[in-house]
Amino acid sequence: MEEKKFDKNSIIGFALIFGIIMWMMYNSQKTAQEEQAQKIKQEKIDKAKKAKEVATKQVLETFVDTTVSDTVKLQKLSGALGSFAYSATLPSAKEGFTTIENELVTLKIANKGGYIAEAILKNYKKFEKNSGLLVELIKNNNANFNLELQTKDNRVLNTKDLFFEPTLTKNGNDQILSMKLKSGANEFLEYKYVLKANDYMLDFDVRSQGLSKVLNTSKTADLQWDLKTYRNEKSVSYENRYAEIYFENDGKVDYAGLGRQEDETLEKATFVAYKQHFFSSILLSQTPIENVKVSSTDLVNDAKIDTVFTKQFKTTLPLAFKNGELDYKMNWYYGPTDYKILNDYEKNIEDIVPLGWGIFGWINKLIFIPLFGFLSSFMGLGIAIIVFTIIIKIAMSPITFKSFLSQAKMKVLRPEITELGEKFAKDPMKKQQETMKLYNKAGVNPMAGCIPALIQLPFMYASFQFFPSAIELRQKGFLWAEDLSSFDQIFKLPFNIPLYGDHVSLFPILAAIAIFFYMKMTSGDQAMAQPPQEGMPDMGKIMKVMIYLSPIMMLIFFNSYGSGLSLYNFISNLITIGIMLVIKKYFIDSDKIHAQIQENKTKPKTESKFQRKMREMMEQAEEQKKLNKK
């Protein structure tokens, strides 16, 4: 019997299997080590957190313990709080609030932590006009404001757990609230709030006095500001789309993004804004703060279930000590995200209103906002939108006229262009040259129809930014729409249609119908104006698809948008159809255009630099083609 031997392939196979097994064992061991290291690290974090919670609990128990003398209590507190035990022995060391308010806002500041525990806007209702519920940006512990202090004896204290002493005074119409966390009679950390009459913005100073011997001033004091934003609008998903964290970083205003989790580190921050579509909470600093960390977490996973909160915003601002003390001049803003109000402060915070970048933003700032503001000052919001749309479309009508005139000229030339196409079917370059000559002789610019359309595009895009940001539309009704800033539901569906929703809005339907008829009326002219070019897509076929695709897109994407934008698009398309009919009937005569083109052909033409360059390039290409054939 012949003895079996391992061949070369078998040896290689076993070697590979052995190598794979060893690699798997190595990675498994490495993963186990990493998991063990991570477990140890997490245990340390949990242990430190637990120790901090125990210390805080002991402090709180000492605060409320009435069975021990003040001397014993002070000794216990000193063991936990060091020098800040002094503040815990004051009469103000108990749960309580101080209220400051004006015509616009009501703010409640807590003794414990010294921060704003409640912020109510007096002139705005939640959800709908007659809900009876005021917009509350802060309530029921949805906000956290804390300054983490490190002492020289290696303690870490959180101001949110300590009691401040409140002192409320007035200076004319200004209300001044001083909240002091004391380590002695003249040593303290102070939060100073100044609320002026009829103003959403309040001054906020953070400063310390005589604490250089108590605090470790070589390290920063981390200011932590968190806010879990309440839903205030009819649609939680629509509101959440515009809930973002904005900031000014090194002079540039930007935002963190709309992902499920967004994190940013800012080099030099001067403000951080928690924007909730129509309302904002903003913290500003006159001194740029370095290495600020901000994060945004989306809390709406299912719009049917997650109906209370929209976003979780968090910010950490490291406050540096100067000459052993803290001294920061800051401001708080709790109010509407209204461009005009924010712009009046001249602090760049108006840039949190998403009006679009570049030319789109300038159109909104210089045209749309002033014009619409003027109209809405003396007429209803629905009528203002209609009048606003009419003015914009009339102003754009000369551009519309040029576009239609160019299409008419191209339509008249189409038979001759088609004839050239057939004559030079085997020579595309020659065909292109002769077509350009025909355009030049006839005095027709093939791009003239595109340029007016391109000019109108920025205005269209600007409207998509303007109307969702216009707080003037909030809870203002028109016809069947109860709220022009939200969708105009006329029927509730018993089921949800993907991308469309669970309701039917009427203004998007009307806008879709108007778009359909507009495209139906113009698609033929556009297709006739642009004869098929070799190697280019057939515009006729594309327009046939767009006739049906555009209205469907309007129905799908605008069903849950604010009805003010849908109303604008509906009126805009109606007016465009009307202008088009008037221009075709009274201003464009195909016979006259044809006669004018024939007359232009007999006149000598001077080539522009662009036309001469194009002709020369074509001639060079033609010569090169002949040389290649040789």
Side-chain angles (χ1 to χ4, degrees), residues 333-350:
Y333 176 88
Y334 291 102
T337 312
D338 187 317
Y339 180 84
K340 294 186 289 295
I341 293 175
L342 297 174
N343 189 50
D344 288 341
Y345 289 113
E346 298 182 348
K347 295 178 181 291
N348 293 338
I349 55 177
E350 71 277 4

Side-chain angles (χ1 to χ4, degrees), residues 215-500:
L215 299 178
N216 182 357
T217 58
S218 65
K219 296 184 178 180
T220 59
D222 289 346
L223 191 159
Q224 299 156 351
W225 177 37
D226 306 340
L227 183 66
K228 200 175 180 181
T229 56
Y230 281 107
R231 166 200 172 194
N232 291 306
E233 309 305 325
K234 180 179 177 181
S235 169
V236 65
S237 57
Y238 187 55
E239 178 181 3
N240 194 43
R241 187 181 303 167
Y242 294 96
E244 304 170 78
I245 181 169
Y246 277 81
F247 44 79
E248 185 176 47
N249 182 27
D250 203 12
K252 181 183 178 181
V253 178
D254 205 346
Y255 62 97
L258 291 173
R260 300 300 305 177
Q261 176 70 45
E262 296 290 342
D263 301 280
E264 294 278 349
T265 299
L266 317 180
E267 295 178 0
K268 291 183 179 180
T270 44
F271 77 71
V272 176
Y274 296 164
K275 179 177 170 292
Q276 300 173 238
H277 195 180
F278 289 127
F279 304 99
S280 294
S281 306
I282 309 175
L283 177 61
L284 306 95
S285 174
Q286 293 181 19
T287 303
I289 302 173
E290 297 181 357
N291 298 318
V292 174
K293 297 184 185 300
V294 298
S295 72
S296 171
T297 305
D298 193 349
L299 301 178
V300 181
N301 296 309
D302 187 335
K304 291 184 178 180
I305 300 172
D306 304 320
T307 59
V308 179
F309 299 101
T310 55
K311 293 283 198 317
Q312 172 73 67
F313 296 130
K314 294 185 178 183
T315 301
T316 300
L317 303 99
L319 304 185
F321 288 86
K322 296 179 181 178
N323 300 320
E325 303 290 352
L326 290 174
D327 188 9
Y328 282 82
K329 302 292 184 183
M330 305 174 118
N331 296 94
W332 282 112
Y333 176 88
Y334 291 102
T337 312
D338 187 317
Y339 180 84
K340 294 186 289 295
I341 293 175
L342 297 174
N343 189 50
D344 288 341
Y345 289 113
E346 298 182 348
K347 295 178 181 291
N348 293 338
I349 55 177
E350 71 277 4
D351 288 340
I352 73 172
V353 182
L355 297 175
W357 54 272
I359 188 173
F360 313 117
W362 288 114
I363 289 172
N364 277 321
K365 293 174 184 177
L366 300 179
I367 300 175
F368 283 12
I369 290 177
L371 177 59
F372 190 75
F374 170 73
L375 295 173
S376 61
S377 66
F378 61 90
M379 62 178 67
L381 270 297
I383 300 298
I385 291 175
I386 294 174
V387 175
F388 171 84
T389 311
I390 292 172
I391 293 173
I392 295 296
K393 297 306 291 185
I394 289 176
M396 300 291 288
S397 59
I399 298 174
T400 305
F401 173 75
K402 287 185 178 181
S403 179
F404 287 148
L405 180 61
S406 176
Q407 289 179 18
K409 289 180 178 180
M410 293 291 291
K411 185 178 179 180
V412 169
L413 282 179
R414 183 182 173 93
E416 296 182 53
I417 295 172
T418 303
E419 184 179 338
L420 288 174
E422 293 173 353
K423 183 177 179 180
F424 300 103
K426 296 182 179 181
D427 193 344
M429 185 64 69
K430 185 67 175 177
K431 172 189 168 184
Q432 191 67 25
Q433 287 178 332
E434 294 300 320
T435 302
M436 292 298 292
K437 286 181 182 178
L438 175 62
Y439 287 149
N440 188 39
K441 286 181 181 179
V444 174
N445 183 355
M447 296 299 295
C450 300
I451 293 172
L454 291 175
I455 293 174
Q456 295 182 69
L457 277 177
F459 286 84
M460 182 182 71
Y461 180 80
S463 71
F464 282 86
Q465 298 292 110
F466 171 71
F467 284 101
S469 300
I471 193 173
E472 300 94 329
L473 302 180
R474 187 176 186 269
Q475 297 179 359
K476 298 298 190 299
F478 179 66
L479 299 178
W480 58 84
E482 297 178 354
D483 185 348
L484 287 168
S485 72
S486 187
F487 54 82
D488 56 314
Q489 176 181 311
I490 58 169
F491 183 71
K492 181 74 173 178
L493 297 174
F495 49 84
N496 182 73
I497 301 175
L499 300 178
Y500 184 75

